[in-house]
Amino acid sequence: MLRVDDVHTYYGDSHILQGVSLEIPRAAIVGILGRNGAGKTTLVRSVMGFTPARLGRILFDEAEITRLRPYRIARLGICVVSQGRQIFPSLDVAETLAISARPKPDGWTVEKVYELFPPLRERARHPTGRLSGGEQQMLAIGRSLMTNPSLLLLDEPTEGLSPLYIETVGHVIRTLQRSGMSMLLVEQRLRFALLYCDYVHIMSRGKIVYSSSPQELGSDADVRARYLGV
């Protein structure tokens, strides 16, 4: 579904991504791990077109999207749940979902989002700025689903969440995968990534330095210590 081929991305003269390559098959969850500053969020921004790659190619369903504008990439079926949620505090929950809607036959609707996240129904008319961190994360995911994507980019979806909400996010990821959705999961919580990903990559200094199944990484203490500090 998504193929990143030898991508190099810069911020000004700073060479951030240095030849990153990976693939995300249909209905698969691929994890990106690594310390802060490794280039994980830059990878998400490059796929989404926020920080286009200078070299290399990014293909989605065999079509090149490397230098497309973000709105065109979104229309093709890719959506990002950004780190920090980026919720508009002046809107309520129902308004936030409504303005994101891109209707599709048998696709996601406000009612389906409420079924996935029952607390959002109870807070439909609450200003989003008054939601808890976990509720805001549910809303951020729900807002993305309203665009009816086939590929979801999740950038640190468990950051700052309580164990209960972390479990909720995990349940949602499993539910979306069963529906056929593909996901790129950028995650700091090793245990969470090992539990939910089909394949994992570790990034360090803008490069992928290790790739394996979650089971292999879970049993390789040397790699975990060297690149993740755990």
Side-chain angles (χ1 to χ4, degrees):
M1 169 167 278
L2 182 80
R3 181 154 61 92
V4 177
D5 185 12
D6 193 27
V7 160
H8 295 253
T9 301
Y10 292 73
Y11 290 130
D13 293 330
S14 298
H15 192 180
I16 306 301
L17 299 186
Q18 303 181 22
V20 172
S21 299
L22 59 85
E23 293 189 19
I24 304 177
R26 194 170 301 278
I29 303 173
V30 174
I32 304 294
L33 302 167
R35 292 186 171 97
N36 290 336
K40 306 185 298 297
T41 294
T42 302
L43 174 60
V44 171
R45 292 180 58 84
S46 294
V47 171
M48 202 65 216
F50 297 139
T51 309
R54 289 192 194 175
L55 298 170
R57 297 194 309 162
I58 302 174
L59 292 94
F60 180 62
D61 284 342
E62 303 304 323
E64 185 165 353
I65 63 170
T66 313
R67 292 169 186 86
L68 292 184
R69 299 290 296 271
Y71 76 91
R72 294 185 61 189
I73 294 173
R75 288 177 179 174
L76 291 174
I78 303 178
C79 195
V80 60
V81 180
S82 299
Q83 185 179 19
R85 298 150 199 156
Q86 298 184 1
I87 298 296
F88 296 111
S90 61
L91 300 180
D92 64 29
V93 168
E95 291 169 336
T96 299
L97 296 176
I99 65 171
S100 306
R102 190 176 296 128
K104 178 180 178 182
D106 299 321
W108 285 92
T109 63
V110 172
E111 182 60 31
K112 288 184 178 180
V113 170
Y114 287 159
E115 290 175 2
L116 187 64
F117 297 114
L120 294 184
R121 186 195 303 276
E122 301 170 9
R123 291 158 177 75
R125 293 304 172 187
H126 279 56
T128 61
R130 293 170 56 186
L131 301 178
S132 70
E135 291 166 345
Q136 288 187 357
Q137 188 61 277
M138 288 190 290
L139 181 59
I141 296 172
R143 177 182 59 185
S144 294
L145 294 178
M146 288 296 294
T147 70
N148 281 295
S150 51
L151 173 63
L152 197 59
L153 312 177
L154 296 156
D155 192 359
E156 304 283 5
T158 68
E159 183 180 43
L161 300 188
S162 69
L164 177 61
Y165 281 118
I166 291 172
E167 184 178 345
T168 298
V169 171
H171 169 73
V172 168
I173 285 173
R174 277 280 182 257
T175 300
L176 296 178
Q177 184 182 30
R178 286 194 294 268
S179 74
M181 189 175 295
S182 303
M183 281 165 273
L184 178 68
L185 174 64
V186 173
E187 185 54 61
Q188 288 278 11
R189 297 177 188 272
L190 176 62
R191 290 180 61 185
F192 187 88
L194 296 183
L195 182 60
Y196 292 103
C197 292
D198 300 305
Y199 202 75
V200 292
H201 302 282
I202 296 177
M203 291 188 67
S204 178
R205 298 181 181 180
K207 300 178 181 179
I208 290 179
V209 294
Y210 178 86
S211 303
S212 76
S213 70
Q215 294 78 14
E216 290 176 294
L217 177 57
S219 63
D220 196 328
D222 288 341
V223 169
R224 298 197 310 273
R226 185 184 318 153
Y227 296 119
L228 303 175
V230 296

